[in-house]
Amino acid sequence: MHFKLVTKTKKLFRKVKELRSRSEPLEPLPTFPEPTSLYRTTPQWAVHQDYPSTSQPPTPLDVLRYRYHYGSNLGGVFVLEQWLFPNMFDQGVKGSSELDAVTQSLAIRGVDATRLKWETHWANALSDHDLHFLTAYCTSIRLPIGYFSLGKFFTAKTPFEGALSEIYDNAWSAIKSLCTRLHNAGIGVLLDLHACPGGANEDAHSGTSSRQANLWDEKWNLNATIRCLQFIANEVRQGHIPGCIGIQCCNEAIYNAPNMYDWYEEVLFSLSTIDHNVPLYISDGWNLRNSMAWAASRNKVHRHSCPVIVDTHKYYTFSYLNKSQSPQEIIRSVRSELNEVAPFVGSVMDNGAVDVMVGEWSCVLDGETWDKAGHGANREDLVRKFGTTQCSQWQQHTGGSCFWTTKMAWMDGGEWGFVEMTKKAAIQAPSNMFIPHHDIPGLITKTGLQRATLRAAAVKAHVEYWVSTAKGRYEHWRFEAGWDVGFSDAAMFFGMRARGGIQAKAGGDMIGMMDAWVRKRLAESGMAGGFVWEFEQGFREAEEAFRGVVMG
């Protein structure tokens, strides 16, 4: 069928070159069974013949969810980490986790005083000054929370049940209040269930110091986590979490976690039955290619399920390999990071939708790495080069990133600090975030004046390409329709802040979660049959054309 030709020759060459450039052969990708038939899908007849379009202009919530996310984590607030907030840990505490801190405090102070201490910590998570800074430099916050944050019901049969659970009586209200403040400042929130029952990994940031990832080998924990996610999804659907850009089902799943994708399937089905519009973020389990393959298999156009986004983390300070390298070597290696994303993206009709978020990253390098910097090396210059190189890679290959982290007891946070690294220009937001609002209408007018010319050139090039490459029957009017939608959507995203749909002092947004947004537009287009790929191709070319005009 002709839609299999959607990948143009230049894209094929790019993929082949990328695959051949690898130093070792790639492992075969796993195959995943078709998902349960319980998912609501487009009727079979509609897959083969057009049906009425349900497409509407992008809403402010659409823009919050699908724009390019340039943001930061707000770690150590609702899931404590001792190195970030040592003041929350009493002397003599036995470990560095939330459970250790609250258990020790309860023994020393009792329930009421401990609850007050925790609630004060939550209330001070972001000052008005902090929020003012974030509004200028950030589109999104990834907010780590724990199952114990949701209420007593969710702590039953866990280490947080009983008296400990009373400390968190008002935690969910604090989370909702914080999300509302962020939304009112034009910042979206990714709710990250960082601490799941049993723990998705063995680290203390999973809520306990058990050093066990018992989420994966105990069915009760898996089911309990789904109940937590269902609660969150219902709260989002009912509007209690304004500006929620997605729900992350777990953080940093251990490598090769048993039956991880089977569980992801259960999570996807459970959340899709509640609200199939809210994006579901999954941990890549330290295997990005496999996770992208699973996401692609679930993000088909005619499946009415939550869009799946893959969360991956990039640190260059913990491994023996990183410690054996100099800062300069690590910076060079970053320039080839995430090249494995390219073969998965760009053709939703053929492959399914794949979008990646770098959910955690930093400018930190190990002391052993700095020892290899060489005589006369300027650390501040190298940190700036390291950070900006990462920013460039993430913007080229992903739909967004969130730096680790925003707040700590020792502000501005050094090379872990979003604030300090921003002030030192070691990390840099996309330039479109700083376009003055009074310039936005003029830029949109400029694109409007060029629209007809750009459209005609794109249609002409498209038709000529396929006539010369593979003669046959086509439906090029679908390319034109897709081009129109793509250009209009790009303009709506770009102008949403200036029109007041999203509160912000400056900036025009670009579509970032492109595959997921294309999937949504394809499903709403009412188009079916073997030439829908032309709509997709037209959409993508129009968005690129719009971007070229406004960004020069």
Side-chain angles (χ1 to χ4, degrees):
M1 299 176 69
H2 290 303
F3 67 87
K4 289 297 182 182
L5 296 172
V6 66
T7 305
K8 288 188 176 181
T9 304
K10 61 183 180 181
K11 185 181 291 184
L12 286 171
F13 284 151
R14 186 173 69 243
K15 290 181 181 179
V16 170
K17 182 178 179 183
E18 187 272 326
L19 290 171
R20 287 178 176 171
S21 69
R22 296 176 182 271
S23 58
E24 57 185 40
L26 296 172
E27 293 183 3
L29 287 169
T31 56
F32 298 101
E34 279 297 306
T36 172
S37 60
L38 294 176
Y39 282 106
R40 189 165 68 90
T41 59
T42 301
Q44 190 62 31
W45 61 265
V47 175
H48 301 290
Q49 73 180 64
D50 292 350
Y51 51 96
S53 170
T54 59
S55 182
Q56 297 291 327
T59 66
L61 184 57
D62 287 332
V63 176
L64 283 172
R65 286 177 172 174
Y66 292 94
R67 65 184 174 180
Y68 182 81
H69 301 300
Y70 180 83
S72 182
N73 285 267
L74 188 57
V77 175
F78 294 100
V79 181
L80 287 176
E81 298 191 35
Q82 188 176 31
W83 68 284
L84 292 174
F85 291 99
N87 55 304
M88 293 298 292
F89 290 75
D90 291 298
Q91 188 173 3
V93 68
K94 295 181 179 179
S96 59
S97 71
E98 174 92 23
L99 180 64
D100 298 313
V102 73
T103 299
Q104 182 81 341
S105 182
L106 191 65
I108 294 172
R109 297 176 183 82
V111 170
D112 292 340
T114 296
R115 184 191 296 118
L116 178 61
K117 181 178 181 179
W118 258 242
E119 290 179 358
T120 301
H121 177 64
W122 303 331
N124 293 334
L126 282 182
S127 67
D128 290 340
H129 176 75
D130 297 328
L131 198 55
H132 180 78
F133 182 88
L134 290 175
T135 301
Y137 294 102
C138 176
T139 67
S140 315
I141 285 289
R142 181 173 179 261
L143 184 62
I145 63 175
Y147 65 90
F148 39 82
S149 309
L150 308 180
K152 286 188 178 70
F153 172 79
F154 299 99
T155 65
K157 298 182 182 180
T158 77
F160 286 87
E161 70 178 339
L164 290 179
S165 69
E166 297 180 31
I167 308 305
Y168 303 93
D169 283 348
N170 299 312
W172 185 243
S173 294
I175 291 169
K176 292 192 290 185
S177 176
L178 178 59
C179 291
T180 299
R181 288 180 65 214
L182 288 163
H183 178 248
N184 290 340
I187 298 172
V189 177
L190 171 59
L191 288 171
D192 161 35
L193 194 59
H194 216 71
C196 303
N201 58 65
E202 300 167 348
D203 296 312
H205 54 65
S206 284
T208 77
S209 297
S210 70
R211 302 197 63 79
Q212 298 182 52
N214 286 331
L215 170 65
W216 307 108
D217 53 18
E218 294 186 18
K219 187 65 175 177
W220 190 93
N221 287 330
L222 293 168
N223 290 338
T225 302
I226 288 177
R227 288 193 291 272
C228 293
L229 296 167
Q230 289 171 325
F231 170 80
I232 296 169
N234 271 306
E235 290 284 282
V236 171
R237 182 179 62 84
Q238 293 169 21
H240 298 160
I241 309 290
C244 176
I245 65 173
I247 300 170
Q248 183 161 346
C249 60
C250 67
N251 172 65
E252 292 188 350
I254 57 171
Y255 180 75
N256 234 3
N259 303 310
M260 182 177 74
Y261 294 110
D262 291 340
W263 183 68
Y264 283 171
E265 187 72 61
E266 292 184 54
V267 172
L268 179 60
F269 176 72
S270 296
L271 269 58
S272 297
T273 58
I274 296 169
D275 182 358
H276 71 266
N277 292 307
V278 64
L280 169 64
Y281 284 68
I282 62 168
S283 167
D284 70 351
W286 309 104
N287 191 328
L288 180 57
R289 290 182 71 246
N290 284 4
S291 293
M292 289 191 293
W294 186 81
S297 72
R298 270 49 192 165
N299 283 337
K300 300 300 184 182
V301 172
H302 296 292
R303 187 170 299 127
H304 295 243
S305 57
C306 301
V308 176
I309 312 295
V310 180
D311 170 61
T312 191
H313 295 176
K314 293 295 181 181
Y315 290 117
Y316 301 89
T317 188
F318 300 117
S319 72
Y320 291 116
L321 173 62
N322 293 150
K323 293 175 184 180
S324 72
Q325 295 173 309
S326 69
Q328 296 89 337
E329 288 174 316
I330 289 176
I331 291 167
R332 284 195 294 272
S333 74
V334 170
R335 296 192 181 108
S336 61
E337 280 283 17
L338 298 179
N339 285 340
E340 66 267 39
V341 174
F344 287 90
V345 302
S347 184
V348 174
M349 285 303 300
D350 282 346
N351 304 323
V354 173
D355 285 292
V356 174
M357 162 83 90
V358 181
E360 293 184 20
W361 64 287
S362 79
C363 288
V364 175
L365 296 173
D366 189 78
E368 293 184 32
T369 291
W370 285 115
D371 290 341
K372 299 175 179 66
H375 180 70
N378 185 301
R379 176 166 176 152
E380 193 164 301
D381 287 346
L382 286 170
V383 168
R384 188 177 299 112
K385 197 168 188 179
F386 179 43
T388 55
T389 300
Q390 289 184 87
C391 285
S392 177
Q393 285 299 109
W394 310 161
Q395 290 171 34
Q396 181 181 351
H397 293 292
T398 76
S401 66
C402 287
F403 194 88
W404 186 275
T405 183
T406 305
K407 291 292 293 286
M408 54 278 288
W410 35 281
M411 293 294 289
D412 285 341
E415 289 149 12
W416 287 108
F418 181 77
V419 173
E420 182 163 341
M421 292 295 94
T422 299
K423 288 178 178 178
K424 291 183 174 179
I427 58 175
Q428 297 176 4
S431 59
N432 57 281
M433 286 179 58
F434 305 108
I435 299 173
H437 277 176
H438 59 75
D439 288 346
I440 298 292
L443 287 168
I444 292 177
T445 298
K446 180 182 177 182
T447 65
L449 293 173
Q450 297 185 36
R451 179 170 180 155
T453 302
L454 292 168
R455 184 182 190 273
V459 172
K460 181 175 183 291
H462 175 79
V463 172
E464 289 178 352
Y465 176 87
W466 290 108
V467 167
S468 64
T469 302
K471 293 182 179 180
R473 187 180 68 86
Y474 294 97
E475 296 177 358
H476 295 316
W477 64 269
R478 297 187 190 273
F479 177 91
E480 299 176 46
W483 201 99
D484 289 336
V485 175
F487 204 86
S488 295
D489 282 0
M492 287 293 292
F493 270 69
F494 189 70
M496 189 64 74
R497 298 192 197 198
R499 289 191 300 273
I502 294 174
Q503 297 302 312
K505 295 180 179 179
D509 287 307
M510 302 292 182
I511 303 172
M513 295 292 174
M514 179 61 76
D515 268 22
W517 183 251
V518 167
R519 172 186 183 248
K520 176 177 167 66
R521 282 322 211 187
L522 285 167
E524 295 169 345
S525 70
M527 291 196 179
F531 297 94
V532 183
W533 61 268
E534 294 201 62
F535 179 95
E536 177 178 359
Q537 199 168 93
F539 185 102
R540 292 179 184 275
E541 290 193 20
E543 192 277 338
E544 187 176 346
F546 180 93
R547 189 185 299 248
V549 174
V550 297
M551 299 308 295

